[in-house]
């Protein structure tokens, strides 16, 4: 049986998991593939650990040795970060190696350059593990959906944030306490910015947007708003109104262009996505022929992520030697049909909104706030006074129908300037997640 040699860059959590999956499921993988996959070489700073995980491999502390070794067929980049990782991946491609990477940051920032270089060298670059860990969403978007015109993708794609939001809703914890717990449990990093401010989710939705709509990756155009300013009271009010707040990555096609954004979002509690709890991930795709589909699973962790990495290794191993012109394209559409499309500014996106207004509790105030919304053509879906505070102040929660964000921003500016309003309006976007398919 032919053997495929892989070189792994970085033997941390996912690298160790990859070696374990290849070892424990070697027979099943060979049964599927008709070839053996051999961990030929590994770059790591911890040779002791590496020896335990894959004792037959060659070890080096220099990852550039792996990408240059003539016997390595596929380089598995689990190095992380985007600077050295980019150099390593480009060098691997230059040397004619196929690449598997779990590095969302690398692809969201430098994907266009990497895919162009790979096309020149006729090598494959696969990245299933870069988005939503073990969920095969890249495969679904790139291949499973290929008969469809995709309308939108919306996902809970950061497990750390979802864990924090779950704690805040279920246990009534503050953001700070829920974050502390996430850190104690090892879900959140000591510096959690990347997860809680939406960067990680932004990288993932940027990649999915390119695959869904056949555009280059454009992380710079992705709107990012994380969960660090969310207050427990908004989660509670949303729940009373039949909604859950989730950090969603959203990308949607409209007549004017593409929406590409990450922000806390109210979604009706009856939607499956609203019930994805803890560190789990889920991605919903709405497409014209199949309608709504939903993909759920572990978004991180050694073995789930390694499951995606090894699936990519198997895919590439099957395609080595096949007609290069008819391989599955990097970004789902043939390279000559990947086209720039305008990414809408946040002013131009369409959404519904949750507003919390703190104002004096006296006659006429509610009416005048409703008027300020009406002046911007915004229709109210629900309006309730949630609480009367000690100092004759009331909290009013308003749910609006769908409108263009420019209008809601103008209304918020006017409400904030109203003499009876005593604190800046809290605004959270809302999505009904109804399918546009027939
Ligand atoms: N840190 C990510 C998360 C997992 O919390 O979901 C890796 O992308």
């Amino acid at each position: 049986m032919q053997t495929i040699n892989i070189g792994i860059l970085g033997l941390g959590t996912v690298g160790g998991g990859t070696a374990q999956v290849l070892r424990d499921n070697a027979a099943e993988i060979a049964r599927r593939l008709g070839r053996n996959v051999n961990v030929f070489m590994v770059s790591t700073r911890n040779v002791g650990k590496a020896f335990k995980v894959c004792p037959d491999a060659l070890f080096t502390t220099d990852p550039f040795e792996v990408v240059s070794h003539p016997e390595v067929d596929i380089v598995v980049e689990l190095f992380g970060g985007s600077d050295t990782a980019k150099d390593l991946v480009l060098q691997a491609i230059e040397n004619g190696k196929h690449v598997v990477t779990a590095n969302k940051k690398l692809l969201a920032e430098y994907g266009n350059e990497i895919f162009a270089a790979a096309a020149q060298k006729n090598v494959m670059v696969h990245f299933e593990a870069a988005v939503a860990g073990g969920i095969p969403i890249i495969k679904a978007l790139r291949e499973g959906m290929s008969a469809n015109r995709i309308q939108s993708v919306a996902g809970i794609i950061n497990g750390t944030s979802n864990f924090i939001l779950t704690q805040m809703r279920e246990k009534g914890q503050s953001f700070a306490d829920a974050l502390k717990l996430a850190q104690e449990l090892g879900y959140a990093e000591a510096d959690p910015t990347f997860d809680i401010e939406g960067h990680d989710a932004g990288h993932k939705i940027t990649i999915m947007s390119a695959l869904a709509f056949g555009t280059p990756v454009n992380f710079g155009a992705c709107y990012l708003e994380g969960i660090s300013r969310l207050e427990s009271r908004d989660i509670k009010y949303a729940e009373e109104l039949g909604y859950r707040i989730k950090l969603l990555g959203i990308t949607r096609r409209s007549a004017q262009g593409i929406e590409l954004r990450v922000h806390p979002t109210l979604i009706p509690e009856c939607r499956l996505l609203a019930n994805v709890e803890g560190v789990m991930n889920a991605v919903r795709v709405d497409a014209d022929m199949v309608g709504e589909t939903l993909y759920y699973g572990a978004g991180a962790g050694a073995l789930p992520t390694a499951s995606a990495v090894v699936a990519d290794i198997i895919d590439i191993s099957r395609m080595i030697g096949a007609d290069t012109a008819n391989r599955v394209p990097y970004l789902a559409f043939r390279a000559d049909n990947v086209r720039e499309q305008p990414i809408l500014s946040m002013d131009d996106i369409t959404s519904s909104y949750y507003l919390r207004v703190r104002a004096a509790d006296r006659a006429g105030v509610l009416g005048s706030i409703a008027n300020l919304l009406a002046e911007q053509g915004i229709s109210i879906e629900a309006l309730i006074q949630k609480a009367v505070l000690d100092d004759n102040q009331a909290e009013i929660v308003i749910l609006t129908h769908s409108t263009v964000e420019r209008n809601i921003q103008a209304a918020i500016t006017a409400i904030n300037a109203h003499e009876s309003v005593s604190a800046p309006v809290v605004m959270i976007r809302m999505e009904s997640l109804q399918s546009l398919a027939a």
Side-chain angles (χ1 to χ4, degrees), residues 302-313:
L303 296 179
T305 311
S307 158
V309 168
V310 173
D312 277 350
I313 294 170

Side-chain angles (χ1 to χ4, degrees), residues 104-359:
K104 65 227 81 170
K105 185 170 195 285
L106 175 71
L107 294 175
E109 291 175 355
Y110 301 114
N112 302 325
E113 189 180 337
I114 288 168
F115 298 135
Q120 281 247 318
K121 287 283 176 179
N122 280 328
V123 296
M124 292 171 269
V125 177
H126 281 218
F127 48 92
E128 186 63 74
V131 179
I135 305 174
I137 185 64
I138 300 296
K139 189 98 172 163
L141 288 170
R142 196 160 55 180
E143 296 165 58
M145 291 278 162
S146 57
N148 289 262
R149 183 174 160 86
I150 295 174
Q151 311 285 6
S152 67
V153 180
I156 294 171
I157 43 182
N158 184 265
T160 306
S161 299
N162 203 48
F163 174 82
I164 291 171
L165 293 178
T166 301
Q167 286 296 120
M168 289 174 77
R169 187 183 68 78
E170 285 182 353
K171 307 278 167 35
Q173 283 189 321
S174 67
F175 171 80
D177 287 347
L179 170 60
K180 192 160 163 278
L181 181 62
Q183 286 171 322
E184 281 163 12
L185 293 173
Y187 299 141
E189 307 280 336
D191 175 1
T193 313
F194 199 67
D195 287 318
I196 63 172
E197 298 302 355
H199 302 247
D200 176 72
H203 290 142
K204 294 168 182 167
I205 195 70
T206 295
I207 295 169
M208 290 196 283
S209 181
L211 289 164
F213 305 127
T215 67
V217 286
N218 190 352
F219 177 61
C222 184
Y223 172 78
L224 302 179
E225 180 186 322
I227 60 168
S228 60
R229 280 172 296 146
L230 267 185
E231 291 182 42
S232 302
R233 63 199 312 115
D234 293 310
I235 291 176
K236 186 165 134 274
Y237 292 163
E239 194 171 21
E240 286 173 24
L241 290 160
Y243 291 83
R244 302 261 167 94
I245 300 181
K246 295 292 182 186
L247 182 71
L248 287 194
I250 299 173
T251 188
R252 178 181 290 136
R253 198 198 281 275
S254 78
Q256 291 73 37
I258 289 170
E259 298 183 2
L260 180 58
R261 48 196 168 97
V262 174
H263 50 71
T265 313
L266 270 77
I267 48 181
E269 67 188 4
C270 58
R271 301 270 177 257
L272 287 170
L273 209 52
N275 294 282
V276 172
E277 303 291 16
V279 292
M280 299 306 281
N281 280 201
V283 181
R284 173 191 185 273
V285 183
D286 190 26
D288 63 349
M289 295 298 152
V290 67
E292 178 183 4
T293 55
L294 186 75
Y295 309 84
Y296 170 89
L303 296 179
T305 311
S307 158
V309 168
V310 173
D312 277 350
I313 294 170
I314 293 170
D315 259 9
I316 289 180
S317 303
R318 283 193 180 120
M319 295 298 290
I320 286 177
D323 171 11
T324 54
N326 287 309
R327 285 179 183 154
V328 181
Y330 304 104
L331 288 176
F333 293 73
R334 291 178 63 94
D336 49 354
N337 287 326
V338 169
R339 297 197 189 108
E340 295 279 0
Q341 292 180 50
I343 308 271
L344 299 183
S345 81
M346 283 305 280
D347 275 351
D348 294 323
I349 69 141
T350 303
S351 181
S352 311
Y353 296 87
Y354 162 105
L355 305 178
R356 173 162 55 83
V357 185
R358 185 183 167 128

